[in-house]
């Protein structure tokens, strides 16, 4: 998917994860900056984990692998939680939000023919190209919907 779609969908997933974290008492006071900061993970993944081979951009295992992205997302979330609030609750909430957002990136990329890496193997459920306007639109709307659900959970 396009980076913009990753960001919108990832923010929706992050809001939903933040709502779940708040429900169990993790970082309620610092979740808004953590959700916003989690959008940066999508830019980092796409900027640092592509290589060009014969004029084609391919995903590398560095950040398009569940095994590498999971601990890096958790670590980034812990650091962001420390910066946002400095409490254990903020750090754990940050880890949850960043992990959910990072894994949402892999989910969307798994829907493309080139897929993502899982346990050393490429996994793909090809639904369309990364620039498919219908897929990008559907997952952008899904991101907005998830964000709305998360907000309603927090308010509700």
């Amino acid at each position: 998917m396009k980076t913009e779609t990753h960001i919108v969908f990832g923010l929706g997933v992050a809001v939903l994860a933040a709502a779940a974290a708040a429900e169990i008492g993790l970082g309620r006071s610092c979740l808004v900056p953590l959700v916003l900061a989690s959008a940066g993970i999508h830019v980092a993944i796409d900027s640092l984990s592509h290589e060009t081979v014969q004029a084609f951009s391919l995903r590398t295992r560095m950040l398009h692998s569940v095994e590498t992205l999971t601990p890096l997302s958790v670590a980034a979330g812990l650091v962001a939680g420390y910066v946002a609030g400095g409490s254990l609750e903020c750090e754990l909430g940050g880890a949850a939000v960043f992990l959910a957002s990072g894994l949402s990136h892999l989910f969307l990329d798994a829907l493309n023919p080139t897929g993502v890496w899982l346990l050393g193997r490429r996994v793909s459920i090809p639904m369309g190209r990364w620039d498919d306007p219908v897929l990008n639109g559907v997952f952008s709307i899904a991101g907005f919907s998830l964000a709305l659900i998360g907000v309603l959970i927090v308010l509700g």
Side-chain angles (χ1 to χ4, degrees):
M1 301 294 160
K2 291 185 172 187
T3 302
E4 298 83 4
T5 304
H6 281 295
I7 291 171
V8 171
F9 186 73
L11 283 171
V13 170
V15 169
L16 199 56
E23 287 293 312
I24 61 171
L26 294 179
R28 185 178 278 274
S29 64
C30 56
L31 288 174
V32 171
L34 290 173
V35 166
L36 296 175
S38 74
I41 202 164
H42 303 287
V43 176
I45 291 168
D46 282 340
S47 297
L48 301 173
S49 191
H50 282 94
E51 64 183 1
T52 303
V53 177
Q54 298 178 353
F56 292 101
S57 178
L58 299 176
R59 297 178 188 110
T60 66
R61 289 184 188 191
M62 184 169 74
L63 294 177
H64 282 95
S65 163
V66 174
E67 297 85 27
T68 56
L69 186 62
T70 298
L72 290 173
S73 296
V74 169
L78 290 169
V79 170
Y82 178 78
V83 171
S87 66
L88 179 61
E89 291 82 13
C90 285
E91 292 168 12
L92 294 175
V97 167
F98 272 63
L99 178 61
S101 189
L103 291 178
S104 78
H105 190 104
L106 294 184
F107 169 72
L108 291 181
D109 280 349
L111 300 178
N112 300 138
T114 54
V116 297
W117 297 93
L118 175 65
L119 301 174
R121 306 186 108 197
R122 194 175 291 273
V123 177
S124 173
I125 306 166
M127 294 182 69
R129 293 174 36 90
W130 69 274
D131 60 350
D132 183 313
V134 173
L135 280 178
N136 280 282
V138 165
F139 284 102
S140 292
I141 291 169
F144 284 117
S145 300
L146 291 172
L148 179 61
I149 291 167
V151 168
L152 291 174
I153 288 170
V154 169
L155 295 176

